[in-house]
Structure formats: structure tokens, C-alpha cells
């Protein structure tokens, strides 16, 4: 894989060497944290230290429940919050849509931002509601106005759930100040797969189920994963270089006749979505992959099926345009040379398409 260009960090990030070492040490010295003997007590101490370190890295001063990842965290929040109703935006991740049977789906504007009039009307139309929104959309990078959403939710005595799987640590003070429940994931931040967390402001909004994690999750704790997670999130992510790389890419995309999805909207600096008119995303992915460049067409949970993007559909995109969009996402180690290699091939594919259409 060393000779390939990896531009799919929103699907998963490369595991940091420090995290690999921490996981390895955790496996070597592993004992069940629930055991009463000396080894178990040592494991428990290590687990609680990791819990404090992960919470501190995000700037979270409240409760933290370790899970298997953001998808489980979201399922836990959606399934066990104390609110009788669920309201979610139409651009939420597949894992939210799958676990939101009976939820009211709220529309977004053409940039993918939750419509506040629809949110206010839905909140006023019934009893207390859990409202689920993403910090940043995993396909487009579009960021939701968390503080504004929270003001409406809390004015109606609602509970705000933020899917922050794509959020770097301490990237948005509004999430820390206003969210009641926050889903996060290690493998999006250079940590190991199979470990994540639900950040909980007050356990009073969440029904317990017994078992481990203070009674909020059953199953033996993943101590090696927690150790790797705690190390990974303490390694600083410098977002400024990645924002510069995305800007460099988007200048080239526009010059080559492509479209930038939600170009003027607040977006995560790590994610961009781009349309190549006349060329399907499937065809683009094949060309890029054969050339040694890894990108995707939407979130990893849905791009494998190559279904039309429900996110772009909710934003008002129609066929065939919504099938011509690929996602490029940046991470630690992404370079200008890699971005330039991508844009060079992008221009070549786009030029070929225009020649065929002429």
C-alpha cells in the first residue's frame, strides 16, 4: 500500500504507530477489568485512565461510555434516550437511518443544512424529542450550526444528539457546550477499529441496561482498544494544512469544469465532494483505483453498494448528477504531491469525457 495515494480518511484513518504500540501492550498485559484479583484491578485502573484521557482530549467534562464505535453509540442514544420521539435530519449517516424506525425525518436546504423552520415545527408538534444531527456530513463535509440547533432543541426541553464521528478533538466548542449526547469513534482519529464512545452530559437522559460501563453497556470492555484510542486522540491534528490542501484541490476541480458540493457552506476541512459532469462515480472510482488512488463515493457504509446518495438527494440533486459525485478526504500525511496527482488524473478523465461527448 506504500505506493498508493490514500484520500479516503473519512472512511477510516491510518492507525498511528503510537496507537498500535498501545494496543499491543494492552493485549500483552490484558486481564478482564471486571475481575476482582490484582490483574483485573490493574486492568480496571488502566481502563479508567483511558476513559479520562479520551474525555479530556475531546474537552468533555462529563460521562463517557466506551462502545464498539460511533454506530453503536448512535444506536444506544437513539434506542435508549428518555425522550418519546426521535427527530433526525434527512442527511444523517446510514447507521442513524437504520436505527431510527418511526423517527420524523426533517428536510435540509440545498446546502444540506437542517431547516430551522422544520425543526421548530416538529419540536412544537408533540412531546419531548431526541434530535439527531451530524457535526459534519460524512459525504459532503457540510457542518451543521450546532449552537443554533441546540437553542431550539433545549427551548423545547429536547435532547440533542450529535454524530461527531468525523469531528477532530476540540474542533467545535459548540458541541462541548450544547450537545447532550455525542457519538465518537477511534478509527476516524488514527486509533484502532472496534472502539468508540458515547459522550453523555447527564445519565438521566439515558436508560441503563445493566452490565458493564456503569450499567449502560453489556459486555467485557475492550481494554486494548481503549488504550489505543486514548493514545491516538492525544496526538494533535493540525487542520490548517488540510484546509489548504482542500482549497488547492478545489481550485483545480473548478478549473477543470467540475463542481464543488456546497462550496460556499461551512464544511469540515477534511472532507470535500466533487462532481465530474458526464462521468459516473463508479467509473471514476475504477480509474482512480487502477491508478493507485483511493477515494470513495459517499460514506463507507453505503458506497460499496453504489446506491444513489440519499444525502445529495435530500439536497435536491437529481439523476444523473447525484451519481457523478466522489468524495475526497484528507488526513495526517496527505501531501500536495498526492493532491496534485489526483487532480491531474481528474483533468484527464474529464477531458476524455468531453471529447467523447463532442
Amino acid at each position: 500500500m506504500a505506493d498508493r495515494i490514500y484520500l479516503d480518511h473519512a472512511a477510516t484513518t491510518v492507525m498511528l504507530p503510537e496507537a498500535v504500540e498501545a494496543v499491543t501492550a494492552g493485549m500483552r498485559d490484558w486481564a478482564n477489568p471486571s475481575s476482582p484479583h490484582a490483574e483485573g484491578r490493574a486492568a480496571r485502573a488502566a481502563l479508567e485512565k483511558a476513559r479520562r484521557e479520551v474525555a479530556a482530549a475531546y474537552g468533555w467534562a462529563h460521562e463517557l461510555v466506551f462502545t464498539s464505535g460511533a454506530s453503536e453509540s448512535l444506536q444506544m442514544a437513539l434506542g435508549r434516550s428518555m425522550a418519546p420521539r426521535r427527530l433526525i435530519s434527512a442527511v444523517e449517516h446510514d447507521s442513524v437511518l437504520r436505527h431510527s424506525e418511526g423517527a420524523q425525518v426533517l428536510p435540509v436546504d440545498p446546502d444540506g443544512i437542517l431547516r430551522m423552520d422544520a425543526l421548530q415545527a416538529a419540536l412544537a408538534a408533540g412531546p419531548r424529542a431526541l434530535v439527531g444531527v451530524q457535526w459534519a456530513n460524512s459525504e459532503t463535509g457540510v457542518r451543521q450550526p450546532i449552537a443554533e440547533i441546540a437553542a431550539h432543541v433545549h427551548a423545547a426541553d429536547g435532547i440533542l444528539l450529535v454524530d461527531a464521528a468525523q469531528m477532530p478533538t476540540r474542533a467545535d466548542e459548540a458541541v462541548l457546550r450544547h450537545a447532550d449526547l455525542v457519538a465518537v469513534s477511534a478509527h476516524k482519529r488514527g486509533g484502532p477499529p472496534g472502539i468508540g464512545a458515547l459522550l453523555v452530559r447527564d445519565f438521566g437522559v439515558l436508560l441503563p441496561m445493566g452490565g458493564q460501563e456503569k450499567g449502560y453497556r453489556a459486555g467485557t470492555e475492550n481494554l486494548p482498544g481503549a488504550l489505543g484510542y486514548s493514545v491516538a486522540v492525544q496526538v494533535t491534528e493540525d487542520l490548517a494544512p488540510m484546509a489548504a490542501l482542500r482549497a488547492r484541490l478545489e481550485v483545480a476541480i473548478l478549473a477543470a469544469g467540475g463542481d464543488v458540493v456546497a462550496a460556499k457552506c461551512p464544511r469540515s476541512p477534511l472532507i470535500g465532494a466533487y462532481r465530474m459532469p458526464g462521468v459516473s462515480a463508479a467509473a471514476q472510482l475504477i480509474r482512480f483505483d487502477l491508478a493507485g488512488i483511493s477515494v470513495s463515493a459517499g460514506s463507507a457504509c453505503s458506497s460499496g453498494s453504489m446506491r444513489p446518495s440519499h444525502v445529495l438527494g435530500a439536497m435536491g440533486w437529481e439523476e444523473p448528477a447525484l451519481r457523478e459525485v466522489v468524495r475526497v478526504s484528507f488526513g495526517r500525511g496527505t501531501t500536495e504531491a498526492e493532491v496534485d496527482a489526483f487532480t491531474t488524473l481528474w483533468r484527464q478523465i474529464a477531458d476524455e469525457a468531453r471529447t467523447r461527448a463532442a
Side-chain angles (χ1 to χ4, degrees):
M1 298 294 288
D3 58 343
R4 291 183 60 87
I5 295 173
Y6 187 73
L7 295 173
D8 197 21
H9 292 266
T12 193
T13 50
V14 177
M15 195 166 166
L16 293 167
E18 300 94 326
V20 174
E21 292 177 8
V23 171
T24 301
M27 288 181 171
R28 183 180 58 244
D29 301 326
W30 188 89
N32 192 319
S34 296
S35 297
H37 47 61
E39 292 86 351
R41 295 195 303 273
R44 170 59 60 184
L47 180 70
E48 295 309 319
K49 181 173 182 288
R51 191 189 311 278
R52 292 191 298 272
E53 289 172 346
V54 172
Y58 282 101
W60 191 253
H62 311 286
E63 305 287 351
L64 183 151
V65 176
F66 280 123
T67 66
S68 63
S71 291
E72 185 192 349
S73 297
L74 291 164
Q75 181 181 7
M76 180 185 296
L78 289 162
R80 305 219 310 268
S81 84
M82 300 292 282
R85 291 194 299 150
R86 306 287 181 269
L87 309 177
I88 61 172
S89 87
V91 294
E92 294 307 300
H93 191 270
D94 275 2
S95 61
V96 171
L97 299 179
R98 285 196 303 268
H99 296 109
S100 298
E101 184 176 354
Q104 182 176 348
V105 179
L106 304 178
V108 297
D109 69 17
D111 282 329
I113 300 294
L114 179 64
R115 282 179 43 189
M116 297 302 146
D117 59 339
L119 173 62
Q120 289 178 284
L123 287 167
R128 191 182 196 193
L130 172 79
V131 177
V133 295
Q134 290 175 316
W135 174 76
N137 187 267
S138 58
E139 295 187 29
T140 65
V142 170
R143 288 178 55 177
Q144 296 293 337
I146 298 298
E148 183 180 2
I149 292 170
H152 294 306
V153 172
H154 292 152
D157 191 34
I159 301 169
L160 178 61
L161 165 64
V162 176
D163 174 2
Q166 299 292 346
M167 186 182 76
T169 56
R170 296 181 180 270
D172 192 343
E173 183 67 23
V175 173
L176 302 178
R177 292 182 60 190
H178 302 297
D180 300 298
L181 300 163
V182 185
V184 291
S185 181
H187 78 99
K188 307 290 190 181
R189 308 268 64 85
I195 185 76
L198 180 65
L199 310 182
V200 182
R201 185 171 300 277
D202 183 349
F203 275 140
V205 304
L206 203 63
L207 287 168
M209 64 176 293
Q212 289 76 12
E213 291 298 293
K214 300 183 180 180
Y216 286 88
R217 182 180 188 265
T220 301
E221 297 93 338
N222 179 1
L223 176 60
L227 296 177
Y229 193 5
S230 69
V231 169
V233 290
Q234 293 181 68
V235 178
T236 302
E237 290 183 78
D238 190 351
L239 302 184
M242 296 184 228
L245 288 174
R246 195 189 66 182
R248 181 185 184 92
L249 171 62
E250 293 182 355
V251 167
I253 292 288
L254 293 170
D259 297 323
V260 178
V261 177
K264 297 181 180 179
C265 188
R267 291 176 291 152
S268 164
L270 309 180
I271 302 172
Y274 310 104
R275 179 191 173 212
M276 186 185 293
V279 184
S280 71
Q284 293 178 58
L285 295 186
I286 292 170
R287 289 289 300 275
F288 285 121
D289 192 42
L290 289 174
I293 301 174
S294 300
V295 293
S296 67
S299 69
C301 292
S302 61
S303 61
S305 67
M306 295 305 297
R307 298 192 308 268
S309 167
H310 73 278
V311 171
L312 295 176
M315 294 166 65
W317 287 58
E318 299 179 348
E319 300 271 8
L322 59 72
R323 290 185 181 269
E324 297 172 343
V325 175
V326 299
R327 178 185 71 183
V328 179
S329 48
F330 310 90
R332 298 180 180 94
T334 304
T335 66
E336 285 188 359
E338 291 175 334
V339 169
D340 291 346
F342 173 84
T343 56
T344 296
L345 183 54
W346 171 284
R347 284 192 296 268
Q348 179 182 333
I349 299 170
D351 288 344
E352 291 171 359
R354 281 191 287 270
T355 299
R356 288 194 300 271

mmCIF file of all heavy atoms in Angstrom, residues 108-140:
data_model
loop_
_atom_site.group_PDB
_atom_site.id
_atom_site.type_symbol
_atom_site.label_atom_id
_atom_site.label_comp_id
_atom_site.label_asym_id
_atom_site.label_seq_id
_atom_site.Cartn_x
_atom_site.Cartn_y
_atom_site.Cartn_z
ATOM 1 N N VAL A 108 -33.638 19.384 4.687
ATOM 2 C CA VAL A 108 -32.471 20.269 4.706
ATOM 3 C C VAL A 108 -32.575 21.223 3.532
ATOM 4 O O VAL A 108 -33.346 21.001 2.585
ATOM 5 C CB VAL A 108 -31.161 19.473 4.628
ATOM 6 C CG1 VAL A 108 -30.999 18.572 5.844
ATOM 7 C CG2 VAL A 108 -31.089 18.645 3.335
ATOM 8 N N ASP A 109 -31.774 22.291 3.569
ATOM 9 C CA ASP A 109 -31.762 23.226 2.451
ATOM 10 C C ASP A 109 -30.814 22.715 1.360
ATOM 11 O O ASP A 109 -30.188 21.659 1.528
ATOM 12 C CB ASP A 109 -31.408 24.639 2.939
ATOM 13 C CG ASP A 109 -29.967 24.772 3.416
ATOM 14 O OD1 ASP A 109 -29.125 23.908 3.091
ATOM 15 O OD2 ASP A 109 -29.666 25.753 4.120
ATOM 16 N N PRO A 110 -30.680 23.418 0.241
ATOM 17 C CA PRO A 110 -29.837 22.915 -0.853
ATOM 18 C C PRO A 110 -28.368 22.731 -0.492
ATOM 19 O O PRO A 110 -27.647 22.029 -1.212
ATOM 20 C CB PRO A 110 -30.011 23.988 -1.941
ATOM 21 C CG PRO A 110 -31.374 24.547 -1.700
ATOM 22 C CD PRO A 110 -31.507 24.568 -0.202
ATOM 23 N N ASP A 111 -27.914 23.324 0.594
ATOM 24 C CA ASP A 111 -26.540 23.111 1.048
ATOM 25 C C ASP A 111 -26.431 21.963 2.042
ATOM 26 O O ASP A 111 -25.338 21.645 2.507
ATOM 27 C CB ASP A 111 -25.989 24.386 1.698
ATOM 28 C CG ASP A 111 -25.571 25.420 0.655
ATOM 29 O OD1 ASP A 111 -25.148 25.013 -0.445
ATOM 30 O OD2 ASP A 111 -25.676 26.625 0.945
ATOM 31 N N GLY A 112 -27.557 21.368 2.406
ATOM 32 C CA GLY A 112 -27.527 20.261 3.352
ATOM 33 C C GLY A 112 -27.656 20.673 4.798
ATOM 34 O O GLY A 112 -27.457 19.853 5.700
ATOM 35 N N ILE A 113 -28.013 21.941 5.051
ATOM 36 C CA ILE A 113 -28.190 22.435 6.414
ATOM 37 C C ILE A 113 -29.631 22.181 6.863
ATOM 38 O O ILE A 113 -30.591 22.432 6.127
ATOM 39 C CB ILE A 113 -27.887 23.945 6.499
ATOM 40 C CG1 ILE A 113 -26.442 24.224 6.085
ATOM 41 C CG2 ILE A 113 -28.157 24.472 7.904
ATOM 42 C CD1 ILE A 113 -25.404 23.660 7.017
ATOM 43 N N LEU A 114 -29.785 21.679 8.075
ATOM 44 C CA LEU A 114 -31.108 21.429 8.633
ATOM 45 C C LEU A 114 -31.952 22.700 8.585
ATOM 46 O O LEU A 114 -31.505 23.774 9.014
ATOM 47 C CB LEU A 114 -30.976 20.950 10.079
ATOM 48 C CG LEU A 114 -32.275 20.671 10.838
ATOM 49 C CD1 LEU A 114 -33.052 19.525 10.203
ATOM 50 C CD2 LEU A 114 -31.957 20.364 12.301
ATOM 51 N N ARG A 115 -33.168 22.577 8.083
ATOM 52 C CA ARG A 115 -34.063 23.733 8.021
ATOM 53 C C ARG A 115 -34.629 24.014 9.403
ATOM 54 O O ARG A 115 -35.305 23.173 10.008
ATOM 55 C CB ARG A 115 -35.177 23.469 7.017
ATOM 56 C CG ARG A 115 -34.756 23.641 5.571
ATOM 57 C CD ARG A 115 -35.888 23.341 4.608
ATOM 58 N NE ARG A 115 -37.169 23.906 5.049
ATOM 59 C CZ ARG A 115 -38.325 23.630 4.470
ATOM 60 N NH1 ARG A 115 -38.370 22.798 3.441
ATOM 61 N NH2 ARG A 115 -39.440 24.173 4.921
ATOM 62 N N MET A 116 -34.352 25.206 9.913
ATOM 63 C CA MET A 116 -34.749 25.551 11.271
ATOM 64 C C MET A 116 -36.263 25.675 11.414
ATOM 65 O O MET A 116 -36.810 25.371 12.483
ATOM 66 C CB MET A 116 -34.069 26.854 11.706
ATOM 67 C CG MET A 116 -32.552 26.745 11.762
ATOM 68 S SD MET A 116 -31.983 25.454 12.878
ATOM 69 C CE MET A 116 -30.515 24.899 12.009
ATOM 70 N N ASP A 117 -36.945 26.106 10.348
ATOM 71 C CA ASP A 117 -38.396 26.201 10.452
ATOM 72 C C ASP A 117 -39.020 24.819 10.627
ATOM 73 O O ASP A 117 -39.953 24.628 11.419
ATOM 74 C CB ASP A 117 -38.977 26.907 9.222
ATOM 75 C CG ASP A 117 -38.648 26.206 7.898
ATOM 76 O OD1 ASP A 117 -37.678 25.426 7.850
ATOM 77 O OD2 ASP A 117 -39.359 26.452 6.900
ATOM 78 N N ALA A 118 -38.454 23.829 9.917
ATOM 79 C CA ALA A 118 -38.959 22.462 10.041
ATOM 80 C C ALA A 118 -38.652 21.892 11.423
ATOM 81 O O ALA A 118 -39.484 21.191 12.022
ATOM 82 C CB ALA A 118 -38.356 21.577 8.962
ATOM 83 N N LEU A 119 -37.479 22.207 11.938
ATOM 84 C CA LEU A 119 -37.113 21.739 13.280
ATOM 85 C C LEU A 119 -38.045 22.326 14.331
ATOM 86 O O LEU A 119 -38.563 21.598 15.197
ATOM 87 C CB LEU A 119 -35.662 22.123 13.587
ATOM 88 C CG LEU A 119 -35.181 21.858 15.016
ATOM 89 C CD1 LEU A 119 -35.226 20.367 15.343
ATOM 90 C CD2 LEU A 119 -33.772 22.418 15.218
ATOM 91 N N GLN A 120 -38.267 23.622 14.273
ATOM 92 C CA GLN A 120 -39.137 24.264 15.256
ATOM 93 C C GLN A 120 -40.562 23.717 15.188
ATOM 94 O O GLN A 120 -41.181 23.456 16.228
ATOM 95 C CB GLN A 120 -39.146 25.775 15.020
ATOM 96 C CG GLN A 120 -37.844 26.468 15.404
ATOM 97 C CD GLN A 120 -37.889 27.954 15.104
ATOM 98 O OE1 GLN A 120 -37.775 28.372 13.956
ATOM 99 N NE2 GLN A 120 -38.089 28.752 16.142
ATOM 100 N N ALA A 121 -41.062 23.509 13.987
ATOM 101 C CA ALA A 121 -42.421 22.990 13.837
ATOM 102 C C ALA A 121 -42.524 21.580 14.390
ATOM 103 O O ALA A 121 -43.501 21.233 15.073
ATOM 104 C CB ALA A 121 -42.820 23.013 12.360
ATOM 105 N N ALA A 122 -41.512 20.759 14.134
ATOM 106 C CA ALA A 122 -41.532 19.378 14.617
ATOM 107 C C ALA A 122 -41.430 19.331 16.131
ATOM 108 O O ALA A 122 -42.113 18.527 16.791
ATOM 109 C CB ALA A 122 -40.393 18.588 13.977
ATOM 110 N N LEU A 123 -40.598 20.172 16.710
ATOM 111 C CA LEU A 123 -40.461 20.202 18.164
ATOM 112 C C LEU A 123 -41.759 20.617 18.835
ATOM 113 O O LEU A 123 -42.106 20.112 19.913
ATOM 114 C CB LEU A 123 -39.336 21.157 18.555
ATOM 115 C CG LEU A 123 -37.903 20.682 18.277
ATOM 116 C CD1 LEU A 123 -36.914 21.835 18.418
ATOM 117 C CD2 LEU A 123 -37.520 19.543 19.220
ATOM 118 N N ALA A 124 -42.480 21.517 18.190
ATOM 119 C CA ALA A 124 -43.716 22.033 18.784
ATOM 120 C C ALA A 124 -44.902 21.085 18.589
ATOM 121 O O ALA A 124 -45.954 21.273 19.220
ATOM 122 C CB ALA A 124 -44.048 23.395 18.171
ATOM 123 N N ALA A 125 -44.729 20.074 17.748
ATOM 124 C CA ALA A 125 -45.869 19.239 17.357
ATOM 125 C C ALA A 125 -46.105 18.040 18.261
ATOM 126 O O ALA A 125 -47.025 17.264 18.009
ATOM 127 C CB ALA A 125 -45.676 18.760 15.920
ATOM 128 N N GLY A 126 -45.313 17.873 19.308
ATOM 129 C CA GLY A 126 -45.500 16.702 20.152
ATOM 130 C C GLY A 126 -44.695 16.778 21.426
ATOM 131 O O GLY A 126 -44.127 17.835 21.760
ATOM 132 N N PRO A 127 -44.605 15.648 22.134
ATOM 133 C CA PRO A 127 -43.863 15.630 23.393
ATOM 134 C C PRO A 127 -42.357 15.723 23.174
ATOM 135 O O PRO A 127 -41.877 15.862 22.047
ATOM 136 C CB PRO A 127 -44.254 14.278 24.004
ATOM 137 C CG PRO A 127 -44.605 13.430 22.820
ATOM 138 C CD PRO A 127 -45.219 14.360 21.829
ATOM 139 N N ARG A 128 -41.627 15.600 24.244
ATOM 140 C CA ARG A 128 -40.171 15.745 24.239
ATOM 141 C C ARG A 128 -39.536 14.880 23.146
ATOM 142 O O ARG A 128 -39.944 13.747 22.916
ATOM 143 C CB ARG A 128 -39.621 15.330 25.595
ATOM 144 C CG ARG A 128 -38.158 15.661 25.821
ATOM 145 C CD ARG A 128 -37.692 15.160 27.165
ATOM 146 N NE ARG A 128 -36.442 15.779 27.572
ATOM 147 C CZ ARG A 128 -35.699 15.355 28.575
ATOM 148 N NH1 ARG A 128 -36.084 14.305 29.290
ATOM 149 N NH2 ARG A 128 -34.581 15.981 28.894
ATOM 150 N N ALA A 129 -38.523 15.441 22.483
ATOM 151 C CA ALA A 129 -37.906 14.738 21.362
ATOM 152 C C ALA A 129 -36.395 14.687 21.505
ATOM 153 O O ALA A 129 -35.767 15.618 22.031
ATOM 154 C CB ALA A 129 -38.274 15.421 20.046
ATOM 155 N N LEU A 130 -35.817 13.580 21.035
ATOM 156 C CA LEU A 130 -34.380 13.493 20.793
ATOM 157 C C LEU A 130 -34.144 13.949 19.364
ATOM 158 O O LEU A 130 -34.776 13.448 18.435
ATOM 159 C CB LEU A 130 -33.888 12.058 20.955
ATOM 160 C CG LEU A 130 -32.429 11.815 20.531
ATOM 161 C CD1 LEU A 130 -31.480 12.280 21.613
ATOM 162 C CD2 LEU A 130 -32.189 10.344 20.205
ATOM 163 N N VAL A 131 -33.242 14.905 19.169
ATOM 164 C CA VAL A 131 -32.920 15.413 17.841
ATOM 165 C C VAL A 131 -31.503 14.969 17.498
ATOM 166 O O VAL A 131 -30.547 15.271 18.228
ATOM 167 C CB VAL A 131 -33.033 16.946 17.778
ATOM 168 C CG1 VAL A 131 -32.623 17.459 16.393
ATOM 169 C CG2 VAL A 131 -34.458 17.381 18.111
ATOM 170 N N GLY A 132 -31.353 14.248 16.372
ATOM 171 C CA GLY A 132 -30.056 13.751 15.952
ATOM 172 C C GLY A 132 -29.544 14.472 14.724
ATOM 173 O O GLY A 132 -30.221 14.514 13.699
ATOM 174 N N VAL A 133 -28.336 15.052 14.829
ATOM 175 C CA VAL A 133 -27.695 15.730 13.691
ATOM 176 C C VAL A 133 -26.213 15.394 13.677
ATOM 177 O O VAL A 133 -25.620 15.055 14.697
ATOM 178 C CB VAL A 133 -27.869 17.266 13.745
ATOM 179 C CG1 VAL A 133 -29.324 17.666 13.598
ATOM 180 C CG2 VAL A 133 -27.278 17.837 15.032
ATOM 181 N N GLN A 134 -25.610 15.507 12.501
ATOM 182 C CA GLN A 134 -24.171 15.317 12.376
ATOM 183 C C GLN A 134 -23.426 16.612 12.663
ATOM 184 O O GLN A 134 -23.911 17.697 12.351
ATOM 185 C CB GLN A 134 -23.805 14.857 10.967
ATOM 186 C CG GLN A 134 -24.224 13.445 10.622
ATOM 187 C CD GLN A 134 -23.924 13.122 9.179
ATOM 188 O OE1 GLN A 134 -24.186 13.928 8.297
ATOM 189 N NE2 GLN A 134 -23.378 11.947 8.927
ATOM 190 N N TRP A 135 -22.213 16.458 13.204
ATOM 191 C CA TRP A 135 -21.326 17.623 13.278
ATOM 192 C C TRP A 135 -20.935 18.043 11.870
ATOM 193 O O TRP A 135 -21.029 19.215 11.512
ATOM 194 C CB TRP A 135 -20.075 17.290 14.094
ATOM 195 C CG TRP A 135 -19.073 18.400 14.066
ATOM 196 C CD1 TRP A 135 -19.131 19.567 14.756
ATOM 197 C CD2 TRP A 135 -17.867 18.467 13.273
ATOM 198 N NE1 TRP A 135 -18.038 20.371 14.453
ATOM 199 C CE2 TRP A 135 -17.257 19.705 13.551
ATOM 200 C CE3 TRP A 135 -17.257 17.592 12.378
ATOM 201 C CZ2 TRP A 135 -16.056 20.092 12.962
ATOM 202 C CZ3 TRP A 135 -16.061 17.977 11.782
ATOM 203 C CH2 TRP A 135 -15.470 19.216 12.070
ATOM 204 N N ALA A 136 -20.506 17.087 11.087
ATOM 205 C CA ALA A 136 -20.195 17.336 9.682
ATOM 206 C C ALA A 136 -20.630 16.119 8.884
ATOM 207 O O ALA A 136 -20.396 14.986 9.303
ATOM 208 C CB ALA A 136 -18.710 17.603 9.470
ATOM 209 N N ASN A 137 -21.242 16.355 7.740
ATOM 210 C CA ASN A 137 -21.713 15.243 6.936
ATOM 211 C C ASN A 137 -20.547 14.439 6.389
ATOM 212 O O ASN A 137 -19.568 15.003 5.888
ATOM 213 C CB ASN A 137 -22.574 15.762 5.784
ATOM 214 C CG ASN A 137 -23.219 14.642 5.015
ATOM 215 O OD1 ASN A 137 -22.677 14.172 4.024
ATOM 216 N ND2 ASN A 137 -24.383 14.182 5.469
ATOM 217 N N SER A 138 -20.667 13.128 6.471
ATOM 218 C CA SER A 138 -19.559 12.262 6.072
ATOM 219 C C SER A 138 -19.372 12.188 4.565
ATOM 220 O O SER A 138 -18.325 11.726 4.096
ATOM 221 C CB SER A 138 -19.769 10.853 6.629
ATOM 222 O OG SER A 138 -20.999 10.319 6.183
ATOM 223 N N GLU A 139 -20.345 12.651 3.786
ATOM 224 C CA GLU A 139 -20.216 12.637 2.329
ATOM 225 C C GLU A 139 -19.787 13.986 1.780
ATOM 226 O O GLU A 139 -18.995 14.056 0.843
ATOM 227 C CB GLU A 139 -21.537 12.229 1.679
ATOM 228 C CG GLU A 139 -21.966 10.807 1.980
ATOM 229 C CD GLU A 139 -23.184 10.388 1.176
ATOM 230 O OE1 GLU A 139 -23.375 10.916 0.059
ATOM 231 O OE2 GLU A 139 -23.946 9.541 1.667
ATOM 232 N N THR A 140 -20.315 15.065 2.337
ATOM 233 C CA THR A 140 -20.080 16.399 1.780
ATOM 234 C C THR A 140 -19.190 17.274 2.651
ATOM 235 O O THR A 140 -18.664 18.284 2.172
ATOM 236 C CB THR A 140 -21.413 17.128 1.580
ATOM 237 O OG1 THR A 140 -22.013 17.359 2.868
ATOM 238 C CG2 THR A 140 -22.368 16.315 0.710
#
